[in-house]
Amino acid sequence: MKMSRDEKIINIAIQVLPQSSKKESYDLVDDAIKVIESSGFNYKVCPFETVVECTLKQGLKLVEDIHKACGDAGTEKMMAYIKIQSNYSEDVTILDKMEKYE
């Protein structure tokens, strides 16, 4: 059975730049990464962003969960940058892009 476009795996790159007068930014980024870890999705932490494999709907929900978790952890201001790579005919994986470098 053919998967619909909405069921295809995409890559979503999530970069959060949280700020707080009471907590280190790196600690707040760690809180964001904990949300990604607990999602059960395949992911790769990179120096500037974390890339996650999931469906588009799951990815957008994950961004919402990260936004809430950072706020709950003490973030006062935050910039978030999101990049999405999709292919309407097949899944997109991290390994497809990284295999030759690892």
Side-chain angles (χ1 to χ4, degrees):
M1 186 159 115
K2 187 175 178 180
M3 287 194 315
S4 76
R5 178 174 54 199
D6 295 336
E7 296 172 301
K8 296 287 184 206
I9 298 298
I10 65 159
N11 280 186
I12 183 165
I14 305 167
Q15 178 187 38
V16 294
L17 303 172
Q19 298 177 355
S20 172
S21 60
K22 298 176 180 88
K23 202 168 180 183
E24 290 292 323
S25 291
Y26 285 126
D27 293 335
L28 295 166
V29 169
D30 287 343
D31 291 327
I33 293 170
K34 286 177 190 170
V35 174
I36 295 168
E37 288 174 342
S38 70
S39 72
F41 302 133
N42 188 36
Y43 69 94
K44 182 168 184 74
V45 176
C46 303
F48 293 102
E49 63 196 10
T50 299
V51 181
V52 181
E53 292 178 354
C54 56
T55 66
L56 178 61
K57 185 174 184 177
Q58 292 168 330
L60 296 176
K61 174 71 169 96
L62 183 61
V63 169
E64 181 181 347
D65 293 347
I66 290 167
H67 185 74
K68 182 180 182 322
C70 286
D72 291 348
T75 297
E76 296 162 358
K77 298 179 187 179
M78 183 168 72
M79 297 290 290
Y81 298 92
I82 310 301
K83 294 184 276 188
I84 297 171
Q85 180 187 7
S86 59
N87 183 328
Y88 293 118
S89 61
E90 60 187 43
D91 290 339
V92 178
T93 68
I94 296 168
L95 185 60
D96 289 340
K97 293 185 288 290
M98 300 301 299
E99 185 173 34
K100 67 182 178 181
Y101 300 109
E102 295 185 346

